[in-house]
Every structure is written in C-alpha cells, then in structure tokens.
C-alpha cells in the first residue's frame, strides 16, 4: 500500500492556495468577450509584423477598400463571402483578420484551405505564426506551445474553444475529417476540379459546416483566371455582386472605378504615353489627378449591383440604403439577398500604385502579347481573361481584314513559311508571312484537288516550290520552308519528302498534343537492318499543335487598333479578299476541359459543321517559323532581313522625332525589282 504523504488541494489550508491567480482566472472567465466586428477588432488588437510593409498598429484606412469585406464577416444574414481581387491588395489581410477576430472573440473550429499542402505550411509559417507572435491577445490565446506539442503543430493549432487547421485542397480526407464553423478558402482557382475523385474541394469542405448551419461562414478568395473556368468568377456571379463606389471630386457622382474610364494619350506613332494616363469621371468626363483619386479612396461605399426581379419587373439596382443594399424602385424594399456577399476590387483602388504605374504595366503587356495581357487582366484588373482557345467569333475576325490582297506580301512581312494538310482527295496549302513583333499574315490558301494516292497532285505541289510571291517592295519572295503533315497518309508523305531531299527545305511534320512550344525538335525515321537510325535518313519536324492552336486563337482575338496606331504583338493579318469559309476554318476548334476519374483532361474539339484545314496549315507554318528562330531573332537579324528587301527601318526617339535606323539600306536606292528566288539571310540557313 502506498504511504504517500501528498495532500490534495482540498486538504490544504486556505493560506496555501494561490487565491490571487484563482481570482484573476475567475474574473477573466466571467467577463464576456467584447462584441467587436472584424475592423474594430483589428484596429484595437492587431499588430502588423515586422515582415509586413507597415509594421505596428493595424489601420484599415490605409487600404480603405478592405473595410467592406471585413465588415461582411459579421454582417447579419451573410453566410458566404467571395473576394475576387487583384494581387497584393486585400485578400490575405482580410483572411488574417477574420481568423484573429473569431479565434479571440468567438472561438470555434476554423479550417483554412490552400491549393496544396506546402502552400498551407507556407501560410502557417509566413502569415499565421507572425500574426500570433506580434498580436498580444492571440499570443496569450495560443500560448508558447512548441511544434512538437499535440496542440500546436505547423498545420493544426488548438486554442480554448476551438482550433485552426490548415490543409491542401487535393486531399479529400483532410477536407472532410472534422466539423468546422469558419471556412477560409484561398487561391481557389488553383484548386483541382475534384479532390481525389470525390468532388469539388470547396463543396467537400463546406459540407463540414452542417453542424454550424445557423452561424457558419465560408470565405472564398482569389484573383480570377480564365473566363468560363475561373472558380472565383463563378462564385462572384452567384453573389450579390458588390462593387466599391467613390465620389467624383468634381461633380460628386458616385461610381465604381472601371478600367474603361482610364484615358491614355498616344504619340505621333500611335504608341501609348503612360505619363498622360488619368481617370475620367463617368458623369462629367473631367479628369482626376492622382491626389484626387487618393482622396476619393478615403470614402468607399460598397453597393450591391446584381440585377433582380421585384414588383413584377426586372431591375438593375438604381438606389441603395445606407448599408449598400439594393432597393426596389417601386416598393422601396431590400430586393437582393445578402446571404452571399461578393466583392471585386482592381488596382484602381490601390493607394500604393498610381494610375500611371498601372498603365505602364498595361503598355508592357501589350508589347509582350496575349499571355502578358492575360496576366495583366487577372492580377491588375481582377478580371477574367477570355482565352483565345475558346475560339473567337469568326465574323469578328472576318470583319477586321486588312487591305492587301491574297497572293501578295505586305510591307512589314519579311519571311514566308508554308504548311500542307493532306486529305484523301486533295492537298491544302497555306502560305504565311512572318514579321516583327510576332505578327503574321495569311498570304494565300490554295487547294490542290486530286487523289493523294496518285502522283499528279504531288507534282502540282512540287511545282509550287518554285513559285514566288510579290512583296510590296516589288521583290519576289519564295517560301523558306515547307511542312507537310505526315499524320494520316504517312507512306505517301515520306516518299514525297525523300524525293525532295535535295531542296533542303521540304519537311514531313508531325503534330503533337503539346503546350510546351511550337517546335518540339526533329525525330529520325529511317533505320538500317539492325534498327539503328540512319544519320542522313528521313527526319520529321515535331510540331506542338496544341501550343500553336492556343496561341493563334488568342492572337485572333486581339482587336484591330484605331487608324494610325500600331498593331498589338501577335496580331494576325488576313487579306481583304479572304473567304468566309477560310476564316471559319481558321477558328474551327475550341479547347474543352473535362474531368474523368478525378483527372482533368484538355482536348481540342472541332466546332460542329466546320473543317479545320486552314487552321492546321497555319500551325505547321508557325512551327517551322520557330524552328528557324523567328521567336528569338534580334534587332540586327531583323534589319538584315529588311535590308535584303530594300526596306528602311524607322525608329523614334523619346521625343517622338523620327530617326532612321543605322545599318539599313535606303529603300529608294537598293530595291531590286523583279528579282526571283529565295531571299535568305545567313542566320536563317
């Protein structure tokens, strides 16, 4: 039997008890938590970490646009919040403050979902841990537990009354393992469409809120991506679609800041002048100075903008109450539910980035082409990008034709490449010209009828190899390289290409489903009796067909500039007399995304009723252009090509004074009209 002399606390004399600590603990437990919204909590308790741009006390007016989303977290009736915002403006700050407020004021189970597990760990280390460390009430709440303790790991932190769990969106087990009240989903456009084949990660996580149906809150945040495939766009469309309204400094008209109201002057050459950028009022058209914009941003009203039906009429919100709720113009009642509050904000609301800086980024994106423009729309304007892969309307493409005629080469076009599509009863040939700034021109599309099992149609194609096309300077250009599709009629194409080996510019091409590049390399086909590849045998040029299609359709979506302005990088020019059927074929496919057994599949699908030979020919020519280095030619190489055509390159100095480029042959003295044969520069050989 134990002879322990230890005494229980009940047997200790009153003088031995720590009554002071007990009294303090009792008073702390009996004192109700202050009823603060997220903004009030953050400004009273939050201390920004030294890692942030503003260390010290949190002041919401520094980024006033964040006030509305934070207030929505405790707004009566709100159960879901969507934040579709540009980068580095408000998303992470809102999420952090909501976590801090609920952990302190209304402790509950909290789940934070990131795209992957490593992103969840990074958020825990770089954002959550510094906030707990530097905010006293949170530091006291979570204590000094080490990562080895059961209550405080990197991705699971317990506190009195609740816990914070951080998981990746790709694990259905983590998403469904415990009940939660507060769900915070960040970067949702990067989530897989299905978590382990069990469905949408957000749907799986929100199912865990069933036990807190009366007071649950789900927050979804991200910058948008591609139109029609952006999860944050779909979520915002389901919401009450709130926008941030500010007052014009001149006429006091309340308005949401839109990119279309940013006006930019151009120089004599049609180039944007970012230093002239300014915002103009939607009502009085008067421009705002940067100081006036910053003043306007001090007072923001979030208003519901979703259309609604009330009193038997379909309406667009015209009046709002003091809380920004849309009112029916007939009965005056609140007409739009606030159960799902949606917020959108672009860099036009960012106090740290001027309008001029935003326009500079826009001008840079214009020079770099569609991919850069997509990034600008997503990260700066908080808008989805309509991907060219979704096939632009063929009539829009047809209506922006150029003035040149088929069979001729425009002045800015410098080198020709051709693609040949092989069908059972014909060959289709597309001649394309390529120039500076990633621009290209359809020179001609020709159909050679005839059974491709017979030699006649191949002889007609061979005759085309000796043809030339008239350049605007008067010089005749030949095609630099010919690419013939070998996918369907392999034996016939290989035999024909072998016969053309002496030319050195006729290739069998093999289109592949790759988004890596337009040109994927060369593959040897001929082997000896031992199976060893013959060094000088037939080779095929491998073309990234998916890359070429996506790039081309994106470029076809670029609008035609106003008269006198420069064409955007990647612009595709079509002749004045191009046929409607050719344009239909050029836009004949679209990219479709599907999910099978939890795996996402992207597939190019022909649009019903359209053939795609013109598109295929364009892709083969594009791959050959990259094979010859078109994407990476430098200024000296471009000038050499222009000099061979007798073109004078005109550049402009910073003060818009026209200056002739050096090392360029003057057009008036060096043109060789009537010259036939291939114009080749040394770097293209």
């Amino acid at each position: 039997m134990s002879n322990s002399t230890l005494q229980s606390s009940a047997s200790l004399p009153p003088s031995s008890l720590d009554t002071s600590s007990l009294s303090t603990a009792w008073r702390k437990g009996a004192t109700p938590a202050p009823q603060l919204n997220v903004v009030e909590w953050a400004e009273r308790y939050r201390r920004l970490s030294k890692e942030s741009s503003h260390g010290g006390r949190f002041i919401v007016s520094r980024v006033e646009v964040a006030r509305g989303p934070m207030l929505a977290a405790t707004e009566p009736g709100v159960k879901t919040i969507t934040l579709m915002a540009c980068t580095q403006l408000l998303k992470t700050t809102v999420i952090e403050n909501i976590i801090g407020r609920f952990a302190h004021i209304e402790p509950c189970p909290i789940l934070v979902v990131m795209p992957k597990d490593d992103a969840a760990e990074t958020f825990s280390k770089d954002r959550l841990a510094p906030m707990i460390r530097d905010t006293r009430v949170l530091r006291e709440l979570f204590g000094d537990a080490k990562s080895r303790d059961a209550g405080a790991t990197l991705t699971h932190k317990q506190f009195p009354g609740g816990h914070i769990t951080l998981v990746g969106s790709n694990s259905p087990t983590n998403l469904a393992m415990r009940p939660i009240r507060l769900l915070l989903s960040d970067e949702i456009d990067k989530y897989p469409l299905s978590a382990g084949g069990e469905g949408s990660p957000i749907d799986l996580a929100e199912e865990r809120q069933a036990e807190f149906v009366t007071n649950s809150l789900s927050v979804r945040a991200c910058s948008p991506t591609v139109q029609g495939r952006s999860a944050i766009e779909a979520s915002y469309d389901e919401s009450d679609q709130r926008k941030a309204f500010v007052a014009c400094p001149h006429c006091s008209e309340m308005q949401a800041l839109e990119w279309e109201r940013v006006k930019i002057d151009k120089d004599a050459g049609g180039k944007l002048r970012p230093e002239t950028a300014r915002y103009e009022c939607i009502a009085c058209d008067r421009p705002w100075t940067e100081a006036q914009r910053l003043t306007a941003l001090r007072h923001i009203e979030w208003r519901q903008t979703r259309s609604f039906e009330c009193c038997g009429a379909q309406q667009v919100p015209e009046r709002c109450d003091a809380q920004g709720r849309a009112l029916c113009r007939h009965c005056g009642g609140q007409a739009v539910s606030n159960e799902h509050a949606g917020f959108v904000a672009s860099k036009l609301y960012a106090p740290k980035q001027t309008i001029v800086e935003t326009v500079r980024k826009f001008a840079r994106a214009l020079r770099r082409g569609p991919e850069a423009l997509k990034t600008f729309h997503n990260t700066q304007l908080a808008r989805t990008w309509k991907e060219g892969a979704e096939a632009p309307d063929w009539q829009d493409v047809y209506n922006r034709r150029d003035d040149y005629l088929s069979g001729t080469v425009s002045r800015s076009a410098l080198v020709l490449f051709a693609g040949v599509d092989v069908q059972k009863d014909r060959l289709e040939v597309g001649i394309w010209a390529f120039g500076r700034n990633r621009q290209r021109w359809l020179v001609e599309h020709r159909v050679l009828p005839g059974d491709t099992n017979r030699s006649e149609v191949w002889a007609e194609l061979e005759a085309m190899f000796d043809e030339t096309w008239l350049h605007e300077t008067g010089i005749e250009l030949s095609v630099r390289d010919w690419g013939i599709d070998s996918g369907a009629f392999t034996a016939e194409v290989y035999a024909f290409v072998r016969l053309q080996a002496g030319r050195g510019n006729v290739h069998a091409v093999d289109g592949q489903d790759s988004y890596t590049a337009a040109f994927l390399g060369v593959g040897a086909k001929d082997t000896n009796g031992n199976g060893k590849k013959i060094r000088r045998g037939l080779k095929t040029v491998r073309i990234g067909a998916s890359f070429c299609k996506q790039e081309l359709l994106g470029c076809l979506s670029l609008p035609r500039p106003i008269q006198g302005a420069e064409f955007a990088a990647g612009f595709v020019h079509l002749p004045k007399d191009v046929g409607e059927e050719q344009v239909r074929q050029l836009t004949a496919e679209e990219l479709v995304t599907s999910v099978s057994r939890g795996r996402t599949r992207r597939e190019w699908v022909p649009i019903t009723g359209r053939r795609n030979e013109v598109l295929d020919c364009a892709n083969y020519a594009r791959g050959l252009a990259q094979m010859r280095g078109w994407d990476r030619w430098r200024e000296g190489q471009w000038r050499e090509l222009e000099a061979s055509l007798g073109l004078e390159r005109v550049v402009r100095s910073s003060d818009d004074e026209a200056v002739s480029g050096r090392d360029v042959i003057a057009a008036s003295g060096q043109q060789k009209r009537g010259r036939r044969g291939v114009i080749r520069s040394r770097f293209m050989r």
Side-chain angles (χ1 to χ4, degrees):
M1 179 178 293
S2 173
N3 294 319
S4 173
T5 59
L6 292 177
Q7 295 177 303
S8 68
S9 59
S11 63
L12 291 175
S15 58
S16 301
L17 293 175
D18 187 357
T19 56
S20 175
S21 298
L22 286 174
S23 178
T24 301
W26 184 87
R27 285 196 304 270
K28 185 176 181 181
T31 302
Q35 294 304 306
L36 305 175
N37 59 43
V38 176
V39 173
E40 292 168 339
W41 179 89
E43 293 197 319
R44 179 181 295 189
Y45 297 111
R46 178 79 191 273
R47 292 297 179 270
L48 295 173
S49 307
K50 58 184 179 181
E51 293 90 345
S52 66
S53 57
H54 289 290
R57 190 165 64 91
F58 179 86
I59 303 174
V60 71
S61 59
R62 287 174 175 167
V63 188
E64 182 64 27
V65 73
R67 184 186 298 271
M70 287 194 284
L71 291 177
T74 54
E75 180 182 320
V78 173
K79 299 184 70 65
T80 304
I81 297 174
T82 293
L83 301 177
M84 186 168 71
C86 61
T87 56
Q88 301 298 311
L89 182 61
L90 58 84
K91 299 192 303 295
T92 305
T93 297
V94 170
I95 289 175
E96 291 172 348
N97 288 338
I98 290 176
I99 290 175
R101 186 266 178 195
F102 275 85
H104 179 211
I105 304 298
E106 294 184 56
C108 60
I110 301 172
L111 180 65
V112 180
V113 183
M114 293 290 174
K116 294 183 179 180
D117 289 339
D118 56 353
E121 294 178 357
T122 299
F123 180 83
S124 177
K125 290 186 291 187
D126 295 349
R127 311 295 301 214
L128 186 57
M131 181 177 71
I132 294 173
R133 179 196 67 204
D134 297 324
T135 303
R136 182 178 60 82
V137 294
L138 297 181
R139 187 168 65 248
E140 293 175 352
L141 190 68
F142 286 88
D144 297 323
K146 304 299 182 182
S147 60
R148 65 176 177 269
D149 296 334
T153 65
L154 192 59
T155 57
H156 182 72
K157 302 179 184 297
Q158 294 182 351
F159 54 88
H163 60 80
I164 298 176
T165 303
L166 300 98
V167 301
S169 63
N170 52 344
S171 172
T173 303
N174 290 337
L175 294 172
M177 66 186 303
R178 53 174 62 88
I180 56 169
R181 176 188 169 192
L182 177 59
L183 172 64
L184 302 124
S185 306
D186 197 12
E187 299 295 344
I188 67 172
D189 273 19
K190 297 179 182 178
Y191 290 5
L193 294 179
S194 180
E198 296 188 18
S200 164
I202 295 178
D203 291 345
L204 289 175
E206 290 183 345
E207 282 295 318
R208 299 300 94 201
Q209 296 181 295
E211 293 189 18
F212 298 91
V213 64
T214 59
N215 61 354
S216 64
L217 177 66
S218 176
V219 180
R220 309 164 184 172
C222 194
S223 296
T225 51
V226 178
Q227 187 180 58
R229 298 203 300 272
S230 173
I232 196 69
E233 175 196 42
S235 184
Y236 180 77
D237 288 344
E238 295 169 356
S239 73
D240 59 6
Q241 300 176 14
R242 303 185 191 190
K243 292 184 178 180
F245 283 70
V246 298
C248 172
H250 305 295
C251 67
S252 300
E253 176 73 16
M254 296 297 291
Q255 56 200 282
L257 302 183
E258 300 290 353
W259 174 244
E260 288 74 17
R261 300 304 303 174
V262 175
K263 306 301 179 182
I264 317 161
D265 294 338
K266 297 181 179 181
D267 61 23
K271 291 185 178 180
L272 298 179
R273 297 175 57 202
E275 68 277 6
T276 67
R278 70 277 181 193
Y279 187 88
E280 292 186 358
C281 174
I282 193 172
C284 66
D285 289 328
R286 294 179 64 181
W288 300 5
T289 65
E290 183 60 23
Q292 288 172 331
R293 183 185 74 95
L294 293 177
T295 300
L297 292 181
R298 295 176 184 173
H299 305 283
I300 291 177
E301 294 182 13
W302 284 97
R303 298 180 178 180
Q304 294 176 325
T305 64
R306 180 172 185 154
S307 60
F308 60 91
E309 184 176 352
C310 189
C311 297
Q314 190 68 31
Q315 304 178 44
V316 175
E318 298 175 356
R319 296 188 300 127
C320 291
D321 60 17
Q323 289 73 43
R325 301 286 298 274
L327 303 177
C328 174
R329 63 171 174 259
H330 300 295
C331 67
Q334 293 181 344
V336 179
S337 169
N338 70 335
E339 183 174 338
H340 187 166
F343 300 84
V344 60
S346 70
K347 285 289 187 181
L348 298 180
Y349 293 94
K352 292 184 180 180
Q353 181 168 302
T354 66
I355 296 287
V356 170
E357 289 170 338
T358 303
V359 171
R360 285 200 179 105
K361 293 181 179 180
F362 173 64
R364 189 182 309 119
L366 276 178
R367 293 193 297 269
R368 295 180 178 179
E371 282 301 313
L373 279 172
K374 173 184 174 181
T375 301
F376 177 82
H377 272 71
N378 296 163
T379 63
Q380 304 296 309
L381 303 184
R383 293 183 177 181
T384 53
W385 173 257
K386 185 176 181 180
E387 196 171 58
E390 294 180 357
D393 185 83
W394 74 268
Q395 290 179 320
D396 292 341
V397 177
Y398 182 77
N399 290 336
R400 62 168 181 73
R401 294 162 292 167
D402 281 34
D403 293 330
Y404 71 97
L405 296 175
S406 296
T408 61
V409 185
S410 294
R411 185 178 185 84
S412 299
L414 303 177
V415 60
L416 305 183
F417 293 96
V420 182
D421 188 72
V422 183
Q423 301 292 323
K424 180 177 177 57
D425 60 349
R426 67 190 184 282
L427 300 175
E428 298 209 17
V429 186
I431 312 296
W432 286 84
F434 295 78
R436 287 177 177 266
N437 206 24
R438 298 176 51 246
Q439 296 182 64
R440 49 183 141 167
W441 292 255
L442 174 60
V443 175
E444 180 182 357
H445 187 85
R446 191 183 304 181
V447 179
L448 308 179
D451 190 341
T452 49
N453 286 323
R454 303 176 65 86
S455 61
E456 289 81 358
V457 69
W458 294 103
E460 193 172 351
L461 175 62
E462 184 177 9
M464 283 191 69
F465 296 163
D466 296 320
E467 291 187 32
T468 57
W469 284 262
L470 182 66
H471 194 272
E472 191 175 330
T473 60
I475 292 178
E476 300 282 343
L477 288 181
S478 290
V479 171
R480 174 61 185 91
D481 286 282
W482 299 79
I484 307 173
D485 176 31
S486 62
F489 298 86
T490 306
E492 290 83 352
V493 173
Y494 284 0
F496 178 75
V497 172
R498 287 189 178 97
L499 291 175
Q500 308 301 319
R503 294 181 180 271
N505 68 337
V506 180
H507 315 279
V509 299
D510 180 17
Q512 300 185 3
D513 181 19
S514 172
Y515 294 88
T516 305
F519 171 63
L520 302 175
V522 176
K525 291 296 179 182
D526 287 340
T527 59
N528 57 24
N530 297 325
K532 186 177 181 180
K533 293 178 180 179
I534 300 175
R535 181 179 179 185
R536 297 187 179 276
L538 178 71
K539 295 179 175 59
T540 58
V541 176
R542 293 185 286 115
I543 304 294
S546 294
F547 176 94
C548 293
K549 291 175 184 178
Q550 183 162 309
E551 179 191 58
L552 175 61
L553 295 182
C555 292
L556 286 171
S557 300
L558 295 174
R560 189 175 185 84
I562 61 175
Q563 188 172 7
E566 290 188 350
F567 288 96
F571 193 86
V572 178
H573 302 263
L574 301 176
K576 183 178 182 179
D577 56 345
V578 67
E580 292 185 0
E581 174 60 22
Q582 293 180 14
V583 179
R584 286 193 184 96
Q585 290 194 32
L586 199 60
T587 58
E589 295 186 19
E590 57 186 356
L591 189 61
V592 175
T593 303
S594 59
V595 179
S596 177
R597 296 181 180 179
R599 302 179 69 88
T600 302
R601 180 183 180 186
R602 306 173 74 195
E603 181 181 12
W604 287 95
V605 178
I607 297 175
T608 304
R610 298 193 201 178
R611 301 203 316 268
N612 60 359
E613 289 83 0
V614 176
L615 174 61
D616 288 341
C617 292
N619 294 334
Y620 303 147
R622 170 67 177 95
L624 294 176
Q626 183 171 354
M627 181 182 72
R628 294 302 181 187
W630 174 62
D631 302 72
R632 58 181 184 275
W633 287 342
R634 297 182 178 179
E635 180 62 24
Q637 296 165 320
W638 286 117
R639 289 184 177 181
E640 184 177 338
L641 265 180
E642 289 165 338
S644 67
L645 293 170
L647 292 172
E648 180 182 15
R649 176 66 177 168
V650 176
V651 297
R652 295 186 178 274
S653 64
S654 59
D655 59 357
D656 298 332
E657 179 182 354
V659 181
S660 297
R662 294 177 298 177
D663 303 325
V664 180
I665 302 175
S668 58
Q670 298 296 330
Q671 289 186 3
K672 299 182 180 179
R673 299 189 178 273
R675 173 186 174 188
R676 304 185 68 83
V678 183
I679 294 182
R680 297 186 188 176
S681 299
R682 55 181 173 78
F683 61 88
M684 291 175 55
R685 295 170 188 162

